[in-house]
Amino acid sequence: MEKEKRRVGLVTCGVLMGLVLSALDQTIVSTAMPTITKELGGLSLYSWVFAIYMLTSTTSMPIYGKMADLFGARKMYLIGLFVFLLGSLLCGMANSMTGLIAARGVQGLGAGALMPVAFIIVGELYPPEKRGKFQGLFGAVFAMTSIFGPSLGGMIVEHLPWGWIFFINLPIGIVAFLIIALAFRDQRHYDKKSVIDWYGAISLSAAIILILLSLVMEGREYKIGLGGAGTLFLGLFIWIETKAKEPLLPLSLFRIPAIGYGNLAGFFVSAALFGAIAYVPLFVQGVRGASPSEAGFLLVPLMLSAAISSTIGGRWMAKASFRAILIPSLLIMATGFFLLSTMDGETTNAQLVIYMIVTGLGMGAIYPALGTAAHSAVKPEDRGVAMSTSQLFRSIGGTIGVSVFGSIVEWRMRAGLVFSEALHDVFITGLILIGISLIASVRLGNTRLLDKEPRHSHSTNSGVPKQ
């Protein structure tokens, strides 16, 4: 018994280390990019260092999730971690902006496995009553990494060659790889004769890439053309999934409220959160005249309060329904967004800190609750696709949010508004998106972590969890 506890603890540490890599890489690069661009040149390609990572990681998420269902979480996690570490090595060795972009694409291909497959592993390690607590722990780790990532990136480029912002992944990742490889074993049998839905994978990948490209490319004609092509591929993907023997993303899963409505809630809250919060540092620097480091420190209260509420929410999952956690969290987050919408040139740092704390307290428990709801709503053979789909909707929601809010700011400032007034419209739009997420959360019903078996699989026609 003691040996088994040690093994579970080891695997948990390995998964947490992988989560740190996934979260850290999204923040540590941002503060280092000006230095990298200065050394490598290629300022016109600046945004592609971020965009290519987003494209490849988002596209690979549902593929890793389905492959984990077919061939095991351990194998897919190790493959994803290996590819991520290879990409990190190539990024650190890049001697041109083009080479860095290509390496970031490889890194993103591996990153697509780190978060969704990690949650599958946790589901195999822990019984339902303990999963919520560890989802909350994961949320806290993600928030804390988001706090220290930008500062760490700045310190590295000040004192070491910039390649170390990528090389730092290697010792952490190698230890995590060895731990998972040696200590974790999949707990169920996998069908070696499973058929891979390659047509579904190709059409979904094309749809995601084209739609996301339409958001980051300049020029109206490019946006319309790429968006239209992406929509056509999305329609093709849906048709393929209705015919596939072993669909990449079983459409009947969306009949389960925890999947269908949960993904809608995750999409809209991510659009609001990532789209709007991105403008807080810009407000602090552009309107208040603060330095970049001061602007970064003002995000610390947001992440610390999110870490606290994430931990508390994780513990409450064993006692309350997911809806009972999501509704108050979204209401608190909406209050924070309303407060942020009142910012102007007279807003003090103390007021900003309060606004960020309120917003963080609301957002902290939302993602752990949505992830655990998706994981718990299906049978073990569908957990990979359920978790990866949840991550996919959040990622695309955040990307679309950033693009939409950027357009709102540009449109309102062209109409003659100052930046703080345009920002008011951004947060009001965010409030509307949070409201849509709130409605979707209400539709989850009384689904909770400790419902009795049987769980739902895509072969079930009813698709309605226990109420």
Side-chain angles (χ1 to χ4, degrees), residues 15 73 116-128 130-131 134-135 138 184 187 375-376 380 383 387:
V15 171
V117 183
F119 291 139
I120 303 169
I121 292 174
V122 169
E124 294 195 12
L125 288 177
Y126 294 99
K130 292 187 178 181
R131 287 175 199 157
F134 283 92
Q135 288 273 17
F138 281 7
F184 179 68
Q187 296 181 5
H375 185 281
S376 303
R383 284 175 180 165
M387 287 302 303

Side-chain angles (χ1 to χ4, degrees), residues 408-439:
I408 290 173
V409 170
E410 183 181 357
W411 168 54
R412 298 301 282 159
M413 291 185 73
R414 281 181 179 174
L417 272 67
V418 298
F419 179 70
S420 59
E421 293 172 329
L423 204 60
H424 168 80
D425 292 346
V426 163
F427 283 104
I428 292 300
T429 304
L431 263 175
I432 295 171
L433 297 178
I434 293 171
I436 298 173
S437 181
L438 184 62
I439 294 170

Side-chain angles (χ1 to χ4, degrees), residues 318-353:
K319 304 174 183 178
S321 68
F322 299 114
R323 180 173 64 180
I325 295 171
L326 288 169
I327 290 176
S329 295
L330 287 164
L331 289 173
I332 295 171
M333 185 176 167
T335 302
F337 264 57
F338 173 76
L339 294 172
L340 289 168
S341 73
T342 66
M343 294 188 303
D344 56 29
E346 303 300 317
T347 304
T348 66
N349 283 348
Q351 288 175 301
L352 269 176
V353 167

Side-chain angles (χ1 to χ4, degrees), residues 16 19-24 26-28 115 119 134-151 273-274 277 296-312 356 359-368:
L16 284 173
L19 182 68
V20 166
L21 292 179
S22 177
L24 189 63
Q26 297 180 42
T27 57
I28 195 173
M115 195 170 294
F119 291 139
F134 283 92
Q135 288 273 17
L137 176 62
F138 281 7
V141 169
F142 191 88
M144 296 301 291
T145 307
S146 299
I147 295 171
F148 297 112
S151 301
L273 180 62
F274 292 106
I277 295 300
F297 279 122
L298 277 172
L299 289 178
V300 172
L302 175 81
M303 294 305 180
L304 282 176
S305 55
I308 292 170
S309 60
S310 175
T311 304
I312 294 172
M356 301 303 275
T359 304
L361 288 174
M363 64 180 266
I366 293 173
Y367 290 136

Side-chain angles (χ1 to χ4, degrees), residues 64 73-84 109-110 113 177:
Y64 277 117
R74 176 179 177 271
K75 184 181 295 184
M76 289 302 109
Y77 190 84
L78 292 177
I79 289 173
L81 184 54
F82 175 81
V83 174
F84 177 85
L109 281 175
F177 187 96

Side-chain angles (χ1 to χ4, degrees), residues 172-403:
I172 301 172
I174 289 170
V175 172
F177 187 96
L178 292 174
I179 289 174
I180 300 298
L182 297 175
F184 179 68
R185 291 291 180 271
D186 291 300
Q187 296 181 5
R188 63 186 182 87
H189 173 73
Y190 294 91
D191 185 3
K192 304 298 183 183
K193 298 180 180 179
S194 297
V195 178
I196 300 174
D197 179 18
W198 290 114
Y199 293 119
I202 293 169
S203 57
L204 178 62
S205 298
I208 293 171
I209 290 171
L210 289 168
I211 290 172
L212 293 183
L213 278 175
S214 73
L215 300 174
V216 300
M217 293 290 286
E218 298 293 333
R220 180 180 174 85
E221 63 279 5
Y222 288 114
K223 289 181 178 293
I224 294 174
L226 291 169
T231 303
L232 288 175
F233 271 102
L234 183 61
L236 176 62
F237 167 73
I238 293 173
W239 180 79
I240 289 171
E241 297 307 276
T242 63
K243 307 295 182 182
K245 179 180 178 182
E246 187 65 54
L248 179 72
L249 203 169
L251 300 180
S252 56
L253 285 179
F254 289 91
R255 299 175 191 158
I256 304 172
I259 305 294
Y261 290 115
N263 287 343
L264 277 179
F267 177 89
F268 285 105
V269 78
S270 294
L273 180 62
F274 292 106
I277 295 300
Y279 286 94
V280 173
L282 192 57
F283 167 83
V284 174
Q285 293 177 67
V287 178
R288 298 292 310 284
S291 68
S293 59
E294 289 174 325
F297 279 122
L298 277 172
L299 289 178
V300 172
L302 175 81
M303 294 305 180
L304 282 176
S305 55
I308 292 170
S309 60
S310 175
T311 304
I312 294 172
R315 293 181 181 277
W316 269 100
M317 278 184 222
K319 304 174 183 178
S321 68
F322 299 114
R323 180 173 64 180
I325 295 171
L326 288 169
I327 290 176
S329 295
L330 287 164
L331 289 173
I332 295 171
M333 185 176 167
T335 302
F337 264 57
F338 173 76
L339 294 172
L340 289 168
S341 73
T342 66
M343 294 188 303
D344 56 29
E346 303 300 317
T347 304
T348 66
N349 283 348
Q351 288 175 301
L352 269 176
V353 167
I354 293 172
Y355 299 169
M356 301 303 275
I357 288 174
V358 173
T359 304
L361 288 174
M363 64 180 266
I366 293 173
Y367 290 136
L370 290 172
T372 308
H375 185 281
S376 303
V378 296
K379 288 184 176 180
E381 60 266 27
D382 290 326
R383 284 175 180 165
V385 70
M387 287 302 303
S388 61
T389 304
S390 178
Q391 294 287 339
L392 175 67
F393 271 76
R394 294 181 223 170
S395 180
I396 294 178
T399 304
I400 291 177
V402 170
S403 176

